[in-house]
């Protein structure tokens, strides 16, 4: 388990891993924090990605070691390992020779869609089990962050601890992801659907943004100006919701009798937008579940 000052690893440091790394590196060490990230070890597959990370984190290279294809080295040097690969690669990466030993008694944080903690544990222990060895004890924590981690504004859901021995692992994980936004614990049974809510809904909101931009441009405003206005309006909505205003109350407050807003809302209802969003989330959750199986 992790000491107060621990090494962090990120195996397969792509878009998501990089966003998390950027968030962690941008925070100054806090003497009162319960933990402190000492050194960081990351792996990627290609030389191009090594260069990308070297350029991006040039001023932190005394603290970061970047490996090309050497996931085992990351696991061996780190107390807490974030796994950031595509779901289909999980079994290959975790089942590699020596990985079980390297991760023994470590915290493994998965950001993978569809992969349950049980599947993750099994992927680590399969190879070692076949060789007739004792299965390693790895504290697996399932998470689902989102791309706003880049801007310290992720909403990350974290699976609640399954038993007492995982409580500290979940605490450490929340502390790490609090560096890139907010965290919330949910039971694992909700993960495919609610993981999709936080992981995918931003992309769905961009469709609404596009519709608003198109009509603003059709009406005569240039697209950059329209985007600036929509962005601030969305930001304002987020602030109002965060302050505790209920969406349906806000809708009523904005819709004055005989006014224009109610016409727009009724048109959205005629077009089935509300149920389209509900079913979009449902199919996203189903796809997340399928990604966890062998289905590609
Ligand atoms: N994108 C998103 O918004 C979100 C993604 N996620 C989850 O994050 C995970 C990764 O997604 P994302 O970051 O977008 O994907 P990317 O394709 O950006 O990142 C995947 C990374 O894996 C590396 N990689 C591939 N094969 C290996 C290997 N054998 N050993 C080590 N590294 C390897 C790639 O290296 P190289 O670049 O060199 O090819 C790449 O950097 C997914 O499981 C997804 O479910 C979760 C929440 C949101």
């Amino acid at each position: 388990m992790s000491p107060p000052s621990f090494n962090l690893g990120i195996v397969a440091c792509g878009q998501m891993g990089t966003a998390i790394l950027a968030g962690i590196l941008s925070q100054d060490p806090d003497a009162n924090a319960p933990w402190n990230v000492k050194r960081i070890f990351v792996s990627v597959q290609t030389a191009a990605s090594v260069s990308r990370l070297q350029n991006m984190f040039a001023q932190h290279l005394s603290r970061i070691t970047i490996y090309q294809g050497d996931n085992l080295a990351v696991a061996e040097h780190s107390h807490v390992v974030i796994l950031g690969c595509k779901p289909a690669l999980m079994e290959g990466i975790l089942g590699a020779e020596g990985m079980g030993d390297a991760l023994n008694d470590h915290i493994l944080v998965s950001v993978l869609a569809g992969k349950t903690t049980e599947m993750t544990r099994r992927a680590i222990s399969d190879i070692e089990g076949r060789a007739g060895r004792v299965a390693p004890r790895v504290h697996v924590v399932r998470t689902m962050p989102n791309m706003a981690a880049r801007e310290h504004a992720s909403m990350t859901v974290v699976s609640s601890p399954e038993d007492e021995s995982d409580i500290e692992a979940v605490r450490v994980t929340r502390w790490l992801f609090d560096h890139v936004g907010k965290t919330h614990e949910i039971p694992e049974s909700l993960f495919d659907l609610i993981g999709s809510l936080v992981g995918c809904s931003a992309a769905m909101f961009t469709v609404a943004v596009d519709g608003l931009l198109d009509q603003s441009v059709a009406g005569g405003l240039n697209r950059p100006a329209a985007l600036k206005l929509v962005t601030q309006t969305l930001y304002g909505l987020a602030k109002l919701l965060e302050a505790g205003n209920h969406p349906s109350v806000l809708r009523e407050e904005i819709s004055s009798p005989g006014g224009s807003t109610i016409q727009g809302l009724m048109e959205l209802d005629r077009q089935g937008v509300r149920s389209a969003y509900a079913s979009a989330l449902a199919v996203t959750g189903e796809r997340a579940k399928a990604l966890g199986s062998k289905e590609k």
Side-chain angles (χ1 to χ4, degrees), residues 12-17 43-46 49 52 71 84-87 89 93 111-113 144-147 199:
C13 189
Q15 302 247 38
M16 200 61 240
S43 63
V44 283
Q45 183 73 345
T46 59
S49 288
R52 172 181 63 83
N71 301 323
C85 63
K86 294 291 188 197
L89 295 181
I93 289 178
V111 301
L112 278 53
M144 183 54 62
N146 66 38
M147 208 36 89

Side-chain angles (χ1 to χ4, degrees), residues 56-71:
M56 201 169 164
F57 299 112
Q59 78 264 49
H60 298 284
L61 290 179
S62 59
R63 221 175 136 205
I64 308 178
T65 307
I66 304 165
Y67 294 99
Q68 184 183 349
D70 196 348
N71 301 323

Side-chain angles (χ1 to χ4, degrees), residues 154-238:
S154 175
M155 182 66 247
T156 304
V157 288
V158 179
S159 60
S160 300
E162 284 185 348
D163 63 51
E164 257 182 46
S165 66
D166 290 325
I167 290 175
E168 200 201 343
V170 169
R171 281 201 197 116
V172 174
T173 302
R174 289 192 66 169
W175 176 79
L176 273 173
F177 282 86
D178 282 340
H179 286 72
V180 294
K182 295 186 175 176
T183 56
H184 184 83
E185 273 177 47
I186 57 169
E188 184 156 16
S189 56
L190 287 177
F191 232 84
D192 291 323
L193 185 70
I194 304 305
S196 299
L197 174 67
V198 300
C200 312
S201 65
M204 296 181 202
F205 285 131
T206 66
V207 176
V209 168
D210 263 353
L212 297 170
L213 291 184
D214 282 350
Q215 189 54 41
S216 302
V217 174
L221 187 62
N222 67 65
R223 197 166 283 269
L227 181 57
K228 187 174 151 193
L229 304 190
V230 172
T231 302
Q232 179 58 29
T233 305
L234 266 180
Y235 183 71
L237 171 63

